[in-house]
Amino acid sequence: MIVRAVRDQHLTPTQAAARYRVSRQWVYELLKRYDREGPAGLVPRSRAPRHRPGTTPAVITDRIIALRRQLTAEGKDAGPATIGWHLHREGLQVPAASTIRRILHAAGLITPEPRKRPRSSYIRFEADLPNECWQADITHWYLAHGDRVEILDFLDDHSRFLLHISTQNAYTGTDVVTVMNALINQYGAPSSTLTDNGMVFTTRLTARNAGRNGFEKLLEAHHITQKNGSPGHPQTQGKIERFHQTLKRWLRARPRPTTIEDLQAHLNDFRTWYNTDRPHRSLGRRTPCQAYTALAKAHPQTTTEPEWRTRTDRIDNHGKVSLRYAGRLRHLGMGRANIGQPVLMLIHDHDVITTHAETGTIIATHHIDDTRDYQPPDKNTPTTREPPEKQ
């Protein structure tokens, strides 16, 4: 209409601009287009720039999408920061994390999730040195035929280095002690441990006075500080709980194993990948192995509290009483002359003094040998004399 007003109605460009409320420059531009291209020159055109120097190259966009699909299929971390780390390792241009996220959204590769609690609301703690604190826990997995098995893992709090991961049908306190002993021999004793309140780790919440279990006794022997989370508050062991998410996502991406041996093979592969090939956000995109070997190791710095407790019992028909020590029942010899007598046992770490519960007379003393079930009395105790008469 503007061109016809100038050419057919003989308005000046100034008059046409005033009538249609546009600028004179725009009127002249329309006239040039009409003279050069005819009516086709008046068709509305895109206002987008011809060149976009900030646009992510197509090869980078395709690689981002391919990495997302590949890492997700393998059960590995596939967030924008992790994808950026892989691009950098491949020598490619690394867009901002927000750009990678927009590319993933545009490709429909991000599933919206409910709003989560903001990271800033969490109280975060981290050990300053490797071996300053080891976290341990037991989780479970299912084999192909539906059998439920347990997985035991130890994680260094500072570096997230996976010290140990293994599986079997069920773990006992003795199994945990065996693993902990092997880790101490390999990596040195940590300054402290952090676990939940499972019976294999602590007896502090048991109703009966069972004494310290094998794991607690082992920590005591190495002067390792034991820390336990509050019941019903797994956030205290947040690192290893979050680690289990990574572990199970990795396992779900693989065929479900039919035997424990097959599952252990998967766990061995996972440990290698997790420690040496997985960048960790909280470690500045370093791997746990790099973080664990970067600093000197911490050592136990405190002395543990000695164990004091008492136990009442009656000497059985074989001249013995039972005592749970380091998670196992021990049988303490008292002598057949004292069969049936009520006793009070005073336990101080490895030493046990047994007295007659009514008269206070010492019946026997023992120094517990961890390697034995039956504990003979010390030679200097009067276990063969006649039982004291009741008052």
Side-chain angles (χ1 to χ4, degrees), residues 129-134 156 163 180-193 218-225 292 296-302:
L129 292 173
N131 283 11
E132 186 174 328
C133 179
W134 289 357
D156 180 67
L163 300 154
M180 185 66 179
N181 257 322
L183 291 177
I184 291 174
N185 292 333
Q186 182 176 1
Y187 298 105
S191 178
S192 66
T193 62
L218 177 61
L219 300 186
E220 177 186 339
H222 289 277
H223 305 295
I224 300 170
T225 302
Y292 185 76
K297 308 299 184 290
H299 301 282
Q301 299 292 330
T302 60

Side-chain angles (χ1 to χ4, degrees), residues 158-170:
H158 168 79
S159 63
R160 313 305 198 278
F161 185 71
L162 182 55
L163 300 154
H164 173 87
I165 187 166
S166 62
T167 182
Q168 59 187 51
N169 288 325

